[in-house]
Amino acid sequence: MAKSINLNADIAESWGAYSIGNDAALVKIIRSASVACGFHAGDPTVMHRFVTLAKEAGCSVGAHPAFNDLWGFGRRRITMRPSDLEYMVAYQIGALQAISAYAGLKVTHLKPHGALNNMAAEDLEYALAIGRAIKAVDRNIVYVALPGTQMETAARKLELPLAREGFADRQYDDSGNLASRSIPGTVLKDPAKAVEQVLRMVGDGEIVSRNGKTLKVQIETICVHGDEPTAVDVASAVRKGLEGAGVQVLPLDQMKLAG
Amino acid sequence: MAKSINLNADIAESWGAYSIGNDAALVKIIRSASVACGFHAGDPTVMHRFVTLAKEAGCSVGAHPAFNDLWGFGRRRITMRPSDLEYMVAYQIGALQAISAYAGLKVTHLKPHGALNNMAAEDLEYALAIGRAIKAVDRNIVYVALPGTQMETAARKLELPLAREGFADRQYDDSGNLASRSIPGTVLKDPAKAVEQVLRMVGDGEIVSRNGKTLKVQIETICVHGDEPTAVDVASAVRKGLEGAGVQVLPLDQMKLAG
Amino acid sequence: MAKSINLNADIAESWGAYSIGNDAALVKIIRSASVACGFHAGDPTVMHRFVTLAKEAGCSVGAHPAFNDLWGFGRRRITMRPSDLEYMVAYQIGALQAISAYAGLKVTHLKPHGALNNMAAEDLEYALAIGRAIKAVDRNIVYVALPGTQMETAARKLELPLAREGFADRQYDDSGNLASRSIPGTVLKDPAKAVEQVLRMVGDGEIVSRNGKTLKVQIETICVHGDEPTAVDVASAVRKGLEGAGVQVLPLDQMKLAG
Amino acid sequence: MAKSINLNADIAESWGAYSIGNDAALVKIIRSASVACGFHAGDPTVMHRFVTLAKEAGCSVGAHPAFNDLWGFGRRRITMRPSDLEYMVAYQIGALQAISAYAGLKVTHLKPHGALNNMAAEDLEYALAIGRAIKAVDRNIVYVALPGTQMETAARKLELPLAREGFADRQYDDSGNLASRSIPGTVLKDPAKAVEQVLRMVGDGEIVSRNGKTLKVQIETICVHGDEPTAVDVASAVRKGLEGAGVQVLPLDQMKLAG
């Protein structure tokens, strides 16, 4: 068993009059939060409310930048010039840094959201653009990346701190990518199944794909999705499962990282 | 004659495919730039392009936050909760700080844009909300304020550095406020008239209103508007006029300030 | 007792990944729906889903135009040129007409949303701009207006069909305006209180303000707010209460109207 | 020589404070206008101003729907559900219909903008979604399509009136698609070259690709791009060239069409 792991969630995805997720409960279970920065979700008031909660809960804060696509909740793929993407990501990091200052917190990691995450996993130009934004704004920010993807390549190339991420609540395909949300059953809503997948990942360094294939994997952080109604139950079970197995669950900035 | 004054302009107000203003020429004439932060104008790429120019020209950089109103170019009054306004302003400051990091520049002043500036001048709640945002993010940022308004009151109350602003290219009404743009003739497009107004302000501490009333005023910074086609000519004439009169034209962060 | 009345709700206010209200339940209770048109809430897919439900339920469809202010959910006052407002309202009507064509429905009324409704009640320029938009697009569209306000004046002046609206779930102040949502208790969440207020309005032509003052009023339509969690219970109780008192509850396009 | 042809341009692409193109000059030269509908450009006021000009000039009006991407000016590819796309397009048609009512004009054609046009040319699902939107709103609206693409297939399948479009001011690649704007020289800014390309298309039914390959083509409408600074000169030369060669230049709704 790895002696320590981080538990993170995408969070603060409410916007204006619209509520989503259960930030107040989740912040107490996870140890690191990937905070929506206003482009796919999250507004300055939502962000402010969340960093206050994060401070109280001892939860570290990271940026969760996305395409400028509120309507699509950042889940639509958008083709853009890598330089535009880079500055757009830097902009979002800075916005969160300013809001985090209210709680005396620093932004210590970055994890791209939704379609941007998917595209950066496949496309080195996108992955590097995100990495360059980190480097320009604060080179100590940890680049959270899907292991074995162009994001890991980009983080290493740019010599950025790297945390490889596994998912508690999503099935994998045989190539180690997340199976599409549009396939029924790929979102794990049963806490027991999520715990099983996480312990296998953290304990054995293995993922079993939805077709039953065993994949080797090394991860430093586990994600639960904050926008699922089952998020709190899943996260809570995962944390208990990990601690029950003797694994310390730490904020990302206290983890020993790759990269 | 005052021995020194700052010359500023609102700038970087292009957006996406849309171009406005002549940033490249203006940046060499002014000494401080109030940079649009993406809410009324300006996008991350436009902001990035500008801070690079500012670095080369030795022009200091400030935030020019606005209501979230691209369509209205930030010129429509919007009523909102002061706390929402505060975090929205902090968000914009942070976004610009991150982009400015590319050029190794700090954000050293803040000047609200358009309708937000007008409302903050009249409404202490708005003026304080803006000031609290500055204080939370970086209390060394200079609050650029219309003299004698609630903005000056707020800056003093919050003990923030303060620069009082006079306008080169806009007429004043008898109460010392800017006369509305919708009144013909209130935008000074003739460089000679702008120079005359500026020298009177800087030299004699006086403004002559559009009705001929003389008002006492103390200012540390002169604004020319970047989005007028006449901006470059007006700014250039004003700078020459000031230097010809023996006044040093300095970046805002090198000025001795009130507050 | 008036022999007939309309029952309406603001509806289809979800947007992208964000859900609000219970359209599917509410559409069966009300007889006319004021459909968000994408500017404060509602997106083309949400609108389409709703008009399909409305067709099935025999619920008439109206436009619920708003300021372009998704973040503020259309509840922030915005000052704009009346001509801009007019075309912005026409745009929203047309958008809904096109989506309604999918269900073979016509847009038969218009009711401004939130801050636009409040401002149009007070400001004849705004009220007329909205009315001119109706007139340009389809002069048979019923202008739903707060009785005794500039909206009623505008509808009469432009000779548009007019329906005066009373609220089931909101308290009134002594001048006959809605008491501000920010005052605790002004949103009636208890179905019994809403029924009582409605029967008094419809039966006696009277409103009792929150301070106990009795106001004379004539109304053709009753509104329940779709975005309150209590909306379905309140609407259901109001409809039963009305029908129990022998009042027919009709779609707005089947009502005999003023104007 | 074909006895008649239509000349169209993308137009009304200003937005808020931002100006682009020369609508007032162009509207007198072209015979049909593809009007931005607010999603990539164009706002209700800009649309209104344009339809007034179109009425005066005897220019027919069509919808120019786009992805909801003002920042990217509709030039960024976005992946979305075809049903979302369909209703989004219907929404834009309806919005323009309402604004056109001010000038007593009907919307008589539709041409997708930018990246949406490119994607619909390749992807039948997108092309059909656009076609279904037309069919739902007004089945007499002409679907303007790149010849030989999935758009032509979709228009025929849905039995919609079809106009195949050739470009005056853009080079083609060997497969008959537009060569990418990012390749230098692919935008024809020299009126003489544009006239030559158009006369070859209209007169001989042929396009010569940028590599010199001759392609057979049948077209009913010629496009000049409204957002190029050379648009007016190019359009003017093309119209004169056509009329000089004895070709009648007609509004799209007066053309004899395929489909």
Side-chain angles (χ1 to χ4, degrees), chain A residues 32-43:
Chain A
S32 295
S34 300
V35 180
C37 298
F39 274 51
H40 78 284
D43 67 39

Side-chain angles (χ1 to χ4, degrees), chain B residues 4-20:
Chain B
S4 63
I5 198 79
N6 172 254
L7 188 61
N8 83 68
D10 306 343
I11 218 160
E13 294 185 322
S14 295
W15 194 72
Y18 294 107
S19 258
I20 228 169

Side-chain angles (χ1 to χ4, degrees), chain A residues 56-100:
Chain A
E56 284 167 17
C59 174
S60 78
V61 158
H64 196 42
F67 289 123
N68 59 324
D69 183 22
L70 275 161
W71 186 29
F73 202 66
R75 290 187 181 145
R76 301 189 303 172
R77 288 181 172 230
I78 302 183
T79 55
M80 55 192 297
R81 280 187 295 271
S83 60
D84 286 338
L85 173 57
E86 177 182 344
Y87 308 135
M88 192 184 81
V89 169
Y91 181 104
Q92 294 180 60
I93 300 171
L96 180 59
Q97 286 177 321
I99 300 294
S100 299

Side-chain angles (χ1 to χ4, degrees), chain B:
Chain B
M1 254 306 148
K3 288 203 193 73
S4 63
I5 198 79
N6 172 254
L7 188 61
N8 83 68
D10 306 343
I11 218 160
E13 294 185 322
S14 295
W15 194 72
Y18 294 107
S19 258
I20 228 169
N22 188 343
D23 297 354
L26 213 49
V27 73
K28 294 178 186 161
I29 302 164
I30 59 172
R31 301 309 307 274
S32 296
S34 301
V35 180
C37 297
F39 274 51
H40 78 283
D43 66 40
T45 299
V46 168
M47 292 161 75
H48 178 268
R49 191 187 311 134
F50 181 76
V51 296
T52 309
L53 295 174
K55 174 70 178 180
E56 284 166 17
C59 173
S60 79
V61 158
H64 195 44
F67 290 124
N68 59 326
D69 182 21
L70 275 161
W71 186 29
F73 203 66
R75 289 188 182 144
R76 301 189 302 172
R77 289 183 172 230
I78 302 183
T79 55
M80 56 191 298
R81 279 188 295 271
S83 61
D84 286 339
L85 173 58
E86 176 181 345
Y87 308 136
M88 193 184 80
V89 168
Y91 181 103
Q92 294 180 61
I93 301 172
L96 180 60
Q97 287 178 319
I99 299 295
S100 298
Y102 277 92
L105 292 177
K106 297 195 72 169
V107 172
T108 52
H109 76 272
L110 178 145
K111 175 184 159 185
H113 170 78
L116 179 56
N117 203 41
N118 299 339
M119 291 177 82
E122 300 164 10
D123 178 343
L124 186 58
E125 286 308 308
Y126 269 43
L128 284 168
I130 295 165
R132 283 193 305 267
I134 294 174
K135 203 157 183 172
V137 180
D138 176 0
R139 56 180 310 133
N140 296 313
I141 288 176
V142 177
Y143 197 153
V144 174
L146 300 173
T149 63
Q150 300 293 358
M151 294 167 77
E152 179 167 353
T153 307
R156 293 189 185 280
K157 205 159 183 167
L158 295 167
E159 302 182 349
L160 291 168
L162 165 69
R164 286 160 300 183
E165 181 178 48
F167 288 85
D169 52 4
R170 293 285 299 279
Q171 287 191 325
Y172 286 81
D173 65 23
D174 289 357
S175 60
N177 294 318
L178 292 183
S180 169
R181 269 172 189 274
S182 58
I183 306 171
T186 58
V187 177
L188 301 178
K189 299 179 183 191
D190 175 355
K193 287 201 179 153
V195 171
E196 187 193 334
Q197 176 158 306
V198 165
L199 290 180
R200 185 81 179 256
M201 260 186 229
V202 176
D204 308 324
E206 285 177 3
I207 289 168
V208 182
S209 82
R210 56 191 298 272
N211 298 322
K213 189 174 161 192
T214 301
L215 308 159
K216 279 285 164 194
V217 74
Q218 223 176 327
I219 58 162
E220 288 85 27
T221 182
I222 297 282
C223 176
V224 292
H225 284 92
D227 57 332
E228 293 294 332
T230 47
V232 173
D233 287 347
V234 167
S236 184
V238 166
R239 180 151 171 194
K240 275 180 202 147
L242 284 164
E243 292 180 340
V247 181
Q248 240 193 321
V249 184
L250 295 176
L252 204 38
D253 56 349
Q254 295 173 27
M255 289 286 297
K256 200 171 143 54
L257 298 172

Side-chain angles (χ1 to χ4, degrees), chain A residues 3-249:
Chain A
K3 288 203 193 76
S4 63
I5 196 80
N6 172 254
L7 190 60
N8 83 69
D10 305 344
I11 218 160
E13 293 183 323
S14 295
W15 195 73
Y18 295 108
S19 257
I20 228 169
N22 187 341
D23 297 355
L26 213 50
V27 72
K28 294 178 187 162
I29 302 164
I30 58 171
R31 301 309 307 275
S32 295
S34 300
V35 180
C37 298
F39 274 51
H40 78 284
D43 67 39
T45 300
V46 168
M47 291 162 75
H48 178 267
R49 193 187 310 133
F50 180 75
V51 297
T52 309
L53 294 173
K55 174 71 177 180
E56 284 167 17
C59 174
S60 78
V61 158
H64 196 42
F67 289 123
N68 59 324
D69 183 22
L70 275 161
W71 186 29
F73 202 66
R75 290 187 181 145
R76 301 189 303 172
R77 288 181 172 230
I78 302 183
T79 55
M80 55 192 297
R81 280 187 295 271
S83 60
D84 286 338
L85 173 57
E86 177 182 344
Y87 308 135
M88 192 184 81
V89 169
Y91 181 104
Q92 294 180 60
I93 300 171
L96 180 59
Q97 286 177 321
I99 300 294
S100 299
Y102 277 92
L105 292 176
K106 296 195 71 167
V107 173
T108 52
H109 75 272
L110 176 146
K111 175 184 160 185
H113 169 78
L116 179 56
N117 204 39
N118 298 338
M119 291 178 82
E122 300 164 10
D123 179 342
L124 185 58
E125 286 309 308
Y126 270 44
L128 284 168
I130 295 165
R132 282 193 305 267
I134 294 175
K135 204 157 181 171
V137 181
D138 177 359
R139 55 181 310 135
N140 296 314
I141 289 177
V142 178
Y143 196 154
V144 174
L146 300 173
T149 63
Q150 300 293 357
M151 294 167 76
E152 179 168 351
T153 306
R156 292 190 186 282
K157 206 158 181 168
L158 295 168
E159 302 183 346
L160 292 167
L162 165 69
R164 286 160 300 184
E165 182 178 48
F167 288 85
D169 53 2
R170 292 286 298 279
Q171 287 190 323
Y172 286 82
D173 65 23
D174 290 357
S175 60
N177 293 320
L178 292 183
S180 168
R181 270 171 188 274
S182 58
I183 306 172
T186 58
V187 178
L188 301 177
K189 299 183 181 188
D190 176 354
K193 286 201 182 155
V195 172
E196 188 193 334
Q197 175 158 305
V198 165
L199 290 180
R200 186 80 179 257
M201 259 186 230
V202 176
D204 308 324
E206 285 177 3
I207 289 166
V208 182
S209 82
R210 57 190 299 270
N211 298 321
K213 191 174 159 190
T214 301
L215 308 159
K216 280 286 163 193
V217 74
Q218 226 177 324
I219 59 162
E220 288 85 28
T221 182
I222 297 282
C223 176
V224 292
H225 285 92
D227 57 332
E228 294 294 331
T230 48
V232 174
D233 287 347
V234 167
S236 185
V238 166
R239 178 151 174 194
K240 275 179 202 147
L242 284 164
E243 292 178 340
V247 181
Q248 241 192 320
V249 184

Side-chain angles (χ1 to χ4, degrees), chain D residues 147-149 172-178 209 211 213 215:
Chain D
T149 63
Y172 286 81
D173 65 23
D174 289 357
S175 59
N177 294 318
L178 292 183
S209 82
N211 298 321
K213 191 174 158 190
L215 308 159

